[in-house]
């Protein structure tokens, strides 16, 4: 069930670049995937995003563009950049591939654990909750899936 994006699908319009908005997880995954496929990746993020996640995105070779506002503003800037540059905008949970990628975590949890009672999933854009939650409930319906969202206060 482990699925991956082909270069053709990730940059379907023939571009060698993609862009996304992320508070961390999608940006890291896209940066890693882009590095493996020779794609230029730009991640738009709020300056309030966790620095450790932003550093990891940079570590995987993506460019990080920070906005001095919230995630919604980062998403707007990413969409504008994609439109202006004619490149693919990858949106967390709106592109099925992001949910499929997250689903592999659910496979690892179910296949790797001796027993699970509860799986807690951080709720951001929804791809992780969709992918992991679907696989866990499909393969281990007795496991309770709880999604938690942490509201970050702007400084």
């Amino acid at each position: 069930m482990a699925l991956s994006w082909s270069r053709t699908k990730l940059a379907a319009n023939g571009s060698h670049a993609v862009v996304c908005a992320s508070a961390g997880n999608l940006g890291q995954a896209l940066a890693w995937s882009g590095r493996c496929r020779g794609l230029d990746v730009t991640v738009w993020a709020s300056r309030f995003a966790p620095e450790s996640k932003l550093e990891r995105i940079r570590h995987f070779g993506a460019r990080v563009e920070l906005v001095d506002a919230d995630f919604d503003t980062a998403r707007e800037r990413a969409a504008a950049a994609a439109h202006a540059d004619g490149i693919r905008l990858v949106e967390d949970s709106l592109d099925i591939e992001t949910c499929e990628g997250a689903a592999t975590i659910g496979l690892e949890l179910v296949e790797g654990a001796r027993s699970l009672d509860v799986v807690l999933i951080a709720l951001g854009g929804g791809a992780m909750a969709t992918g992991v939650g679907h696989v866990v409930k499909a393969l281990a319906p007795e496991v309770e899936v709880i999604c938690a969202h942490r509201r970050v206060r702007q400084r």
Side-chain angles (χ1 to χ4, degrees):
M1 183 170 208
L3 302 171
S4 63
W5 294 339
S6 69
R7 180 182 175 137
T8 306
K9 195 166 191 176
L10 188 54
N13 62 358
S15 173
H16 294 286
V18 293
V19 64
C20 74
S22 176
N25 292 335
L26 175 62
Q28 290 175 83
L30 193 59
W32 180 83
S33 183
R35 182 177 72 180
C36 292
R37 290 164 176 77
L39 298 171
D40 293 323
V41 175
T42 301
V43 177
W44 286 82
S46 168
R47 72 173 179 92
F48 304 109
E51 186 59 36
S52 61
K53 291 186 177 190
L54 297 175
E55 283 304 314
R56 197 80 178 141
I57 292 167
R58 291 182 188 104
H59 171 78
F60 288 132
R63 181 174 46 259
V64 175
E65 297 286 348
L66 295 177
V67 298
D68 202 23
D70 61 9
F71 176 76
D72 291 332
T73 302
R75 181 179 288 157
E76 290 168 8
R77 298 272 176 85
H83 179 73
D85 296 338
I87 60 176
R88 169 123 185 240
L89 172 65
V90 177
E91 295 188 81
D92 191 18
S93 75
L94 295 180
D95 288 305
I96 191 65
E97 299 95 345
T98 62
C99 300
E100 291 171 342
T104 62
I105 298 168
L107 287 173
E108 291 176 11
L109 288 170
V110 172
E111 293 172 358
R114 291 186 184 180
S115 70
L116 291 172
D117 294 320
V118 176
V119 172
L120 299 173
I121 305 170
L123 183 59
M128 185 150 338
T130 300
V132 174
H134 176 76
V135 168
V136 169
K137 292 309 281 185
L139 299 179
E142 71 284 359
V143 175
E144 185 177 8
V145 175
I146 300 173
C147 297
H149 183 267
R150 180 178 77 102
R151 182 174 174 96
V152 177
R153 288 187 284 166
Q154 294 184 0
R155 299 173 210 163

